Amino acid sequence: TIYLAADDYHFTENKIADAPWIRIGDKLNFSKIGLHVNIGGGIVQYPVKNEIGWSGNLSLNQRICAHFDADLSVDRVPYLDTKSSIDTNIAATRVAAMLNWHMAGWSGQAALMNSNYEPGNNVYGAYAWVMAPLVKFKAGKLLGGYSVSYSNSEESSYKPVLGVSQIVANFASNPNIEGLYNPYFTPKDLFISSALLTFNINLSKSVNFSLSGDVGYGSISNPYLYLSVVKPGDTVVNKGYSTETFVPVNASAAFNFNLGKTWVLTAKYIYHNTYFFTSNYGSIGIQKSFQHRKKSGMMTARPRHF
């Protein structure tokens, strides 16, 4: 199955810039050996500098037995998640290995992940979740579960906003040293455990609607900056960490409307609340399949882990 995807990221704060990203790929199914392959590549125009970069993806899904299968994937993608990354042109190479379990309506996943940022810093993590059927009826189902995740990084990208001389000059009036993750986010001992809930219903043969959410407990080693005098006239900015706790909350709603046998209209909304930020994400899209859909399949939302 050949596919084409096109996205445009539009940034408006302080500067107006766009990042169009076009990808093409192929999904291959080797049913006799239980292997699924997804391979693709693309180009992206980074915002502000307007330089052209490339992306790529390769994922393998192998059936192990009746109740288990495994995923291996490697992706190179543009990184556009922090303000400072918008004008820095960053790509991340992400590698993941996942073990999936499914039996009698139950499902689960355990995974190891690593993201590499040039010139060599790694952000790594692990997570696991399990979902169980709570209520099941003809047109839909309600699932509940639990997830746990941990992530860390080799080096911290948290840096002061101002230079040392400016910090020293302003220290008497403002002893709090402002910092930011520049140019990408690096967690330190980020731990999250959450209760999960997913509701999915086929309103008709053509219309599917799903709701999912999770709420839990999180802790992180949060960085802070302070001044140290190495010797008279030589002042440096040092970094320390304090353990902070928070309540992570995520919620999403998805709507899918089959326009005939080969077109699907989609709408999605995602709310994401962590220790660092709150985000609201909405999208409307249309998908075209070049193979006729034999039947309307239910789409089950998986929990977010980081």
Side-chain angles (χ1 to χ4, degrees):
T1 303
I2 297 176
Y3 62 89
L4 176 68
D7 296 294
D8 182 71
Y9 297 86
H10 183 66
F11 304 93
T12 58
E13 187 169 338
N14 299 330
K15 60 193 77 172
I16 297 178
D18 286 85
W21 185 17
I22 300 175
R23 307 175 299 286
I24 189 171
D26 195 8
K27 296 180 181 179
L28 309 170
N29 179 22
F30 303 93
S31 57
K32 290 185 178 180
I33 59 174
L35 176 64
H36 299 268
V37 180
N38 186 343
I39 186 170
I43 57 173
V44 58
Q45 179 178 297
Y46 286 97
V48 182
K49 293 182 180 180
N50 295 322
E51 295 179 355
I52 301 297
W54 63 274
S55 66
N57 63 280
L58 173 63
S59 63
L60 309 174
N61 174 268
Q62 177 64 57
R63 184 182 68 245
I64 300 174
C65 61
H67 303 300
F68 287 93
D69 61 270
D71 289 291
L72 293 173
S73 65
V74 57
D75 303 270
R76 176 186 166 90
V77 295
Y79 182 88
L80 303 169
D81 292 346
T82 62
K83 291 181 180 180
S84 52
S85 72
I86 303 306
D87 54 7
T88 313
N89 298 1
I90 302 172
T93 300
R94 298 171 176 170
V95 180
M98 306 175 186
L99 179 64
N100 309 304
W101 169 70
H102 39 84
M103 183 178 67
W106 290 63
S107 60
Q109 186 180 75
L112 298 173
M113 308 174 68
N114 184 80
S115 297
N116 177 266
Y117 301 89
E118 297 178 357
N121 191 21
N122 291 294
V123 176
Y124 53 89
Y127 69 80
W129 59 263
V130 62
M131 298 285 284
L134 301 179
V135 180
K136 197 171 184 180
F137 49 97
K138 184 177 180 180
K141 55 186 175 181
L142 177 67
L143 304 175
Y146 175 78
S147 70
V148 60
S149 68
Y150 173 81
S151 57
N152 204 349
S153 21
E154 289 183 349
E155 299 177 7
S156 174
S157 67
Y158 193 76
K159 303 173 183 177
V161 174
L162 302 176
V164 176
S165 59
Q166 293 174 297
I167 295 173
V168 172
N170 299 328
F171 191 78
S173 59
N174 184 18
N176 296 319
I177 303 175
E178 184 181 1
L180 80 166
Y181 288 97
N182 183 9
Y184 50 85
F185 174 65
T186 52
K188 181 173 176 59
D189 294 327
L190 174 59
F191 172 81
I192 295 177
S193 62
S194 297
L196 315 172
L197 201 64
T198 295
F199 175 71
N200 196 308
I201 186 171
N202 284 327
L203 300 176
S204 69
K205 291 184 178 180
S206 301
V207 180
N208 173 264
F209 179 72
S210 65
L211 288 171
S212 64
D214 59 82
V215 60
Y217 166 84
S219 66
I220 188 170
S221 294
N222 193 43
Y224 61 90
L225 303 171
Y226 61 94
L227 291 178
S228 292
V229 178
V230 179
K231 57 183 179 180
D234 188 4
T235 303
V236 298
V237 177
N238 283 332
K239 187 185 308 175
Y241 294 90
S242 62
T243 301
E244 308 288 345
T245 61
F246 60 99
V247 178
V249 178
N250 299 287
S252 65
F255 173 83
N256 298 278
F257 179 54
N258 297 329
L259 303 172
K261 295 183 178 180
T262 61
W263 291 90
V264 180
L265 178 67
T266 66
K268 182 185 295 183
Y269 168 76
I270 298 174
Y271 171 81
H272 189 40
N273 183 285
T274 72
Y275 177 78
F276 296 100
F277 65 89
T278 298
S279 68
N280 292 273
Y281 169 85
S283 70
I284 298 176
I286 189 166
Q287 299 176 2
K288 165 67 176 176
S289 172
F290 294 95
Q291 293 180 332
H292 284 192
R293 189 178 297 102
K294 294 182 180 180
K295 61 180 180 179
S296 177
M298 294 182 61
M299 299 182 67
T300 302
R302 290 188 174 182
R304 298 168 64 97
H305 308 291
F306 297 100

